[in-house]
Amino acid sequence: QLDVISKKVADLELGIYAAATYVEAHGEPSGIEDLKDHTFIGYDRSTLILDGFRENGINVDREFFGFRSDDQVVCWAMVVAGFGIGFNQRVIGDHDTRLKRILRDVAIPKMPVWLTSHSALKTNRRIRRVYDFLAEEFSEL
C-alpha cells in the first residue's frame, strides 16, 4: 500500500517444542527419521510449516498433523497441553518451564518481524513515539 511505512525490526529464532508430559508419554524424537512416530501440531490453510518440512527433505501434507489450526495461539496451547510437538519463537518457548526444546539440530529459518504504520507516522508525534518504542523493543529480541 502506498500510504504505509514499514521497517524490518527483528529476525526471531524458532524452535521445536514438546511439553514435558508429551515427552514422558511418547519419548523424544532423536532425529528427523523419528518424526513419523510422533504427533505434530500445525496450520490448516497456511503452508509455512509444510514448506519448512519440505526444505528439510520431508514431504508431508496436512494429514501429517494430529491437530491443525491457523490460530497460532491455539496451536501453542495444544503444545503446552501435551497434545503434540509444535513450533514457536525461542524467546517464548525457551522460557516456558513446562516445555522442552527438541531436535535442536534441525535448521529452521528465522522469522522476520516487520513494523508497519500509516504514513501519519511522519506528522503525528504520538504515533512516531509508539512506532520508535516498538521498533526498539523488537530489535532487542
Side-chain angles (χ1 to χ4, degrees):
Q1 294 180 351
L2 298 177
D3 58 345
V4 297
I5 297 170
S6 294
K7 175 182 179 180
K8 186 175 181 182
V9 293
D11 281 310
L12 298 179
E13 293 183 356
L14 302 175
I16 306 171
Y17 295 90
T21 55
Y22 177 89
V23 173
E24 289 170 14
H26 304 283
E28 181 178 340
S30 59
I32 297 285
E33 63 281 350
D34 296 337
L35 297 183
K36 66 184 180 320
D37 299 325
H38 289 273
T39 302
F40 273 81
I41 297 165
Y43 301 137
D44 187 36
R45 292 180 303 247
S46 171
T47 62
L48 286 172
I49 297 173
L50 296 174
D51 295 342
F53 274 110
R54 287 187 196 105
E55 288 172 15
N56 280 283
I58 304 167
N59 192 18
V60 294
D61 60 17
R62 286 176 173 77
E63 299 305 315
F64 173 75
F65 300 122
F67 178 84
R68 295 189 313 258
S69 173
D70 285 318
D71 186 321
Q72 294 176 8
V73 174
V74 170
C75 287
W76 189 241
M78 295 298 284
V79 173
V80 171
F83 185 81
I85 297 171
F87 304 84
N88 205 341
Q89 304 158 34
R90 289 192 48 205
V91 69
I92 294 171
D94 289 354
H95 292 94
D96 192 325
T97 58
R98 300 168 293 181
L99 303 171
K100 179 175 184 176
R101 185 169 163 227
I102 60 173
L103 298 171
R104 293 172 178 258
D105 58 337
V106 174
I108 302 175
K110 292 180 179 182
M111 181 177 70
V113 178
W114 291 81
L115 188 57
T116 302
S117 173
H118 189 274
S119 61
L121 173 74
K122 293 179 181 177
T123 57
N124 186 311
R125 294 185 76 190
R126 285 185 286 181
I127 294 174
R128 183 69 202 206
R129 288 186 74 175
V130 171
Y131 187 91
D132 290 343
F133 172 79
L134 291 171
E136 183 178 333
E137 293 297 313
F138 272 110
S139 68
E140 293 178 11
L141 292 176

